[in-house]
Amino acid sequence: MALVQTHQASPNSEEHRAAAAKEDQKAELEESTLQNAVLIQKIGSLEKKLQTAQNDSALWQEHAAINARTHFATLALLPQVATFAFCGIGIQMVQHAVRGAVKIKCIVPGGALHQAQQLLSLAPPSADPPLLPQEGDVILAIDGKAIENVTTAPRLVMGPANSQVSLLIARSSSLDCRASDSTSASFTVTVTRRPK
Protein backbone atom coordinates (compact mmCIF):
# COMPACT_ATOMS: atom_id res chain seq x y z
CA MET A 1 0.00 0.00 0.00
CA ALA A 2 1.34 3.33 -1.02
CA LEU A 3 1.25 6.19 1.32
CA VAL A 4 -0.10 9.40 -0.17
CA GLN A 5 1.02 12.51 1.49
CA THR A 6 -1.03 15.68 1.14
CA HIS A 7 0.31 19.09 1.70
CA GLN A 8 -1.92 21.66 3.38
CA ALA A 9 -0.87 25.23 3.46
CA SER A 10 -0.37 26.51 6.91
CA PRO A 11 -2.24 29.72 7.87
CA ASN A 12 0.98 31.67 7.67
CA SER A 13 2.20 30.27 4.37
CA GLU A 14 2.53 32.27 1.18
CA GLU A 15 -0.11 30.19 -0.63
CA HIS A 16 -2.66 30.78 2.11
CA ARG A 17 -2.09 34.54 2.07
CA ALA A 18 -2.39 34.63 -1.74
CA ALA A 19 -5.65 32.64 -1.62
CA ALA A 20 -7.04 34.92 1.10
CA ALA A 21 -6.07 38.04 -0.89
CA LYS A 22 -7.75 36.57 -3.98
CA GLU A 23 -10.95 35.89 -2.00
CA ASP A 24 -10.85 39.45 -0.61
CA GLN A 25 -10.47 40.88 -4.14
CA LYS A 26 -13.37 38.74 -5.34
CA ALA A 27 -15.59 39.93 -2.45
CA GLU A 28 -14.62 43.58 -3.12
CA LEU A 29 -15.42 43.14 -6.82
CA GLU A 30 -18.85 41.64 -6.01
CA GLU A 31 -19.58 44.49 -3.55
CA SER A 32 -18.48 47.08 -6.12
CA THR A 33 -20.67 45.45 -8.80
CA LEU A 34 -23.66 45.52 -6.42
CA GLN A 35 -23.03 49.19 -5.56
CA ASN A 36 -22.79 50.04 -9.28
CA ALA A 37 -26.12 48.30 -9.94
CA VAL A 38 -27.76 50.32 -7.13
CA LEU A 39 -26.27 53.56 -8.49
CA ILE A 40 -27.52 52.75 -12.00
CA GLN A 41 -31.04 52.24 -10.60
CA LYS A 42 -30.85 55.55 -8.70
CA ILE A 43 -29.63 57.38 -11.81
CA GLY A 44 -32.54 55.90 -13.81
CA SER A 45 -35.00 57.04 -11.13
CA LEU A 46 -33.49 60.54 -11.07
CA GLU A 47 -33.65 60.73 -14.88
CA LYS A 48 -37.38 59.87 -14.74
CA LYS A 49 -37.95 62.55 -12.07
CA LEU A 50 -36.05 65.10 -14.16
CA GLN A 51 -38.14 64.24 -17.23
CA THR A 52 -41.35 64.65 -15.18
CA ALA A 53 -40.14 68.02 -13.85
CA GLN A 54 -39.26 69.16 -17.37
CA ASN A 55 -42.72 68.10 -18.61
CA ASP A 56 -44.40 69.99 -15.74
CA SER A 57 -42.28 73.05 -16.50
CA ALA A 58 -43.30 72.88 -20.15
CA LEU A 59 -46.97 72.69 -19.13
CA TRP A 60 -46.62 75.75 -16.91
CA GLN A 61 -44.85 77.66 -19.68
CA GLU A 62 -47.67 76.76 -22.06
CA HIS A 63 -50.21 77.78 -19.40
CA ALA A 64 -48.49 81.17 -18.96
CA ALA A 65 -48.34 81.73 -22.73
CA ILE A 66 -52.06 81.01 -23.10
CA ASN A 67 -52.82 83.32 -20.19
CA ALA A 68 -50.75 86.11 -21.76
CA ARG A 69 -52.39 85.66 -25.19
CA THR A 70 -55.84 85.73 -23.57
CA HIS A 71 -54.97 88.87 -21.62
CA PHE A 72 -53.66 90.73 -24.67
CA ALA A 73 -56.57 89.55 -26.82
CA THR A 74 -58.97 90.90 -24.19
CA LEU A 75 -57.11 94.22 -24.14
CA ALA A 76 -57.38 94.41 -27.93
CA LEU A 77 -61.16 93.97 -27.72
CA LEU A 78 -61.72 96.61 -25.05
CA PRO A 79 -61.92 99.62 -27.42
CA GLN A 80 -64.63 97.80 -29.41
CA VAL A 81 -66.82 97.36 -26.32
CA ALA A 82 -66.15 100.75 -24.80
CA THR A 83 -69.85 101.60 -24.93
CA PHE A 84 -70.58 98.70 -22.56
CA ALA A 85 -69.36 98.73 -18.98
CA PHE A 86 -67.80 95.31 -18.38
CA CYS A 87 -66.93 94.45 -14.82
CA GLY A 88 -66.55 91.55 -12.44
CA ILE A 89 -67.33 90.85 -8.81
CA GLY A 90 -64.01 91.88 -7.28
CA ILE A 91 -62.10 88.64 -6.74
CA GLN A 92 -58.63 87.45 -7.65
CA MET A 93 -58.23 83.75 -8.38
CA VAL A 94 -55.26 81.40 -8.13
CA GLN A 95 -54.43 77.84 -9.18
CA HIS A 96 -51.36 76.24 -7.59
CA ALA A 97 -51.06 73.23 -9.91
CA VAL A 98 -51.87 72.50 -13.53
CA ARG A 99 -54.85 70.34 -12.59
CA GLY A 100 -55.46 71.86 -9.17
CA ALA A 101 -58.51 73.64 -7.85
CA VAL A 102 -59.18 77.29 -8.73
CA LYS A 103 -59.39 79.20 -5.46
CA ILE A 104 -60.31 82.72 -4.42
CA LYS A 105 -56.96 84.34 -3.65
CA CYS A 106 -58.39 87.59 -2.35
CA ILE A 107 -61.52 89.71 -2.34
CA VAL A 108 -60.79 93.13 -3.77
CA PRO A 109 -61.81 96.03 -1.50
CA GLY A 110 -64.62 98.02 -3.09
CA GLY A 111 -65.63 95.17 -5.42
CA ALA A 112 -69.14 93.72 -5.59
CA LEU A 113 -68.37 90.77 -3.31
CA HIS A 114 -66.65 93.01 -0.75
CA GLN A 115 -69.69 95.34 -0.77
CA ALA A 116 -71.99 92.33 -0.23
CA GLN A 117 -69.87 91.20 2.73
CA GLN A 118 -70.05 94.70 4.25
CA LEU A 119 -73.84 94.82 3.85
CA LEU A 120 -74.15 91.39 5.45
CA SER A 121 -72.03 92.49 8.40
CA LEU A 122 -74.40 95.46 8.97
CA ALA A 123 -77.55 93.31 8.80
CA PRO A 124 -79.16 92.14 12.05
CA PRO A 125 -78.10 88.62 13.10
CA SER A 126 -80.21 85.86 11.61
CA ALA A 127 -80.64 82.17 12.40
CA ASP A 128 -79.65 81.21 8.86
CA PRO A 129 -77.34 83.94 7.44
CA PRO A 130 -76.55 83.70 3.71
CA LEU A 131 -73.18 82.23 2.79
CA LEU A 132 -70.79 84.40 0.81
CA PRO A 133 -67.53 83.31 -0.80
CA GLN A 134 -64.38 84.04 1.16
CA GLU A 135 -60.65 83.82 0.57
CA GLY A 136 -59.49 80.22 0.15
CA ASP A 137 -62.84 78.94 -1.14
CA VAL A 138 -62.75 76.77 -4.27
CA ILE A 139 -64.73 77.87 -7.34
CA LEU A 140 -66.29 74.72 -8.83
CA ALA A 141 -68.47 76.39 -11.50
CA ILE A 142 -69.42 79.83 -12.84
CA ASP A 143 -72.89 80.17 -14.37
CA GLY A 144 -73.12 76.37 -14.50
CA LYS A 145 -69.82 75.91 -16.37
CA ALA A 146 -67.27 73.75 -14.53
CA ILE A 147 -63.99 75.53 -13.84
CA GLU A 148 -60.92 73.46 -14.71
CA ASN A 149 -58.25 76.17 -14.89
CA VAL A 150 -57.66 79.73 -13.84
CA THR A 151 -57.41 81.06 -17.42
CA THR A 152 -61.11 80.50 -18.19
CA ALA A 153 -62.51 81.71 -14.86
CA PRO A 154 -61.99 85.50 -15.27
CA ARG A 155 -63.77 85.54 -18.65
CA LEU A 156 -66.79 83.83 -17.10
CA VAL A 157 -66.89 86.18 -14.09
CA MET A 158 -66.73 89.29 -16.27
CA GLY A 159 -69.91 90.67 -17.80
CA PRO A 160 -72.05 93.77 -18.26
CA ALA A 161 -72.48 95.99 -15.20
CA ASN A 162 -75.52 95.17 -13.04
CA SER A 163 -75.87 91.68 -14.54
CA GLN A 164 -75.70 88.66 -12.25
CA VAL A 165 -73.25 85.78 -12.09
CA SER A 166 -73.79 82.52 -10.23
CA LEU A 167 -70.88 80.78 -8.50
CA LEU A 168 -70.78 77.22 -7.16
CA ILE A 169 -68.40 77.40 -4.21
CA ALA A 170 -66.82 74.67 -2.08
CA ARG A 171 -65.57 75.59 1.34
CA SER A 172 -62.72 73.17 1.86
CA SER A 173 -59.25 73.21 3.39
CA SER A 174 -57.94 70.56 1.00
CA LEU A 175 -55.77 71.57 -1.98
CA ASP A 176 -58.14 70.07 -4.52
CA CYS A 177 -61.66 69.57 -3.24
CA ARG A 178 -62.64 67.77 -6.45
CA ALA A 179 -60.53 64.84 -5.28
CA SER A 180 -62.59 64.43 -2.11
CA ASP A 181 -66.29 64.21 -1.41
CA SER A 182 -67.08 67.81 -0.45
CA THR A 183 -70.57 68.19 -1.89
CA SER A 184 -71.96 68.86 1.57
CA ALA A 185 -69.65 71.87 1.91
CA SER A 186 -70.62 73.44 -1.43
CA PHE A 187 -73.15 76.21 -1.99
CA THR A 188 -74.31 78.49 -4.78
CA VAL A 189 -74.24 82.27 -4.56
CA THR A 190 -75.44 84.86 -7.07
CA VAL A 191 -73.57 88.17 -7.16
CA THR A 192 -74.41 91.31 -9.16
CA ARG A 193 -71.47 92.58 -11.20
CA ARG A 194 -70.65 96.16 -10.29
CA PRO A 195 -67.88 98.53 -11.38
CA LYS A 196 -65.47 99.31 -8.59
Side-chain angles (χ1 to χ4, degrees):
M1 182 182 242
L3 193 60
V4 178
Q5 203 174 24
T6 58
H7 174 37
Q8 283 192 337
S10 68
N12 294 331
S13 74
E14 193 67 35
E15 290 175 22
H16 181 64
R17 283 187 288 225
K22 196 173 192 177
E23 286 297 317
D24 288 345
Q25 287 176 345
K26 184 178 177 183
E28 286 176 11
L29 181 62
E30 288 174 357
E31 178 67 24
S32 176
T33 303
L34 182 62
Q35 287 176 350
N36 284 344
V38 169
L39 286 175
I40 288 170
Q41 285 179 338
K42 286 183 180 179
I43 288 170
S45 174
L46 288 174
E47 285 174 342
K48 286 179 185 175
K49 288 180 182 178
L50 177 62
Q51 184 64 41
T52 301
Q54 288 172 338
N55 290 344
D56 287 348
S57 176
L59 284 174
W60 274 107
Q61 288 174 1
E62 181 181 343
H63 175 74
I66 290 170
N67 203 5
R69 283 194 304 269
T70 304
H71 175 72
F72 290 118
T74 305
L75 288 178
L77 291 175
L78 285 179
Q80 298 171 13
V81 293
T83 56
F84 302 102
F86 259 61
C87 53
I89 58 172
I91 60 172
Q92 291 181 0
M93 294 166 269
V94 66
Q95 184 177 26
H96 292 291
V98 175
R99 292 179 184 86
V102 175
K103 292 186 174 188
I104 296 176
K105 179 181 178 182
C106 74
I107 296 172
V108 178
L113 193 54
H114 183 253
Q115 291 173 7
Q117 286 176 333
Q118 288 181 323
L119 288 173
L120 185 61
S121 69
L122 297 174
S126 115
D128 192 21
L131 288 173
L132 287 176
Q134 62 188 24
E135 293 176 9
D137 284 353
V138 176
I139 302 172
L140 298 174
I142 299 174
D143 283 337
K145 294 181 180 111
I147 301 303
E148 295 297 325
N149 63 58
V150 76
T151 58
T152 59
R155 290 188 302 247
L156 294 173
V157 169
M158 297 293 286
N162 300 317
S163 64
Q164 292 187 331
V165 62
S166 177
L167 305 173
L168 178 61
I169 300 292
R171 188 150 289 162
S172 174
S173 60
S174 68
L175 287 178
D176 189 354
C177 74
R178 282 172 259 174
S180 64
D181 181 24
S182 62
T183 54
S184 61
S186 65
F187 60 96
T188 302
V189 63
T190 302
V191 181
T192 302
R193 297 175 177 109
R194 299 195 190 285
K196 188 175 165 190

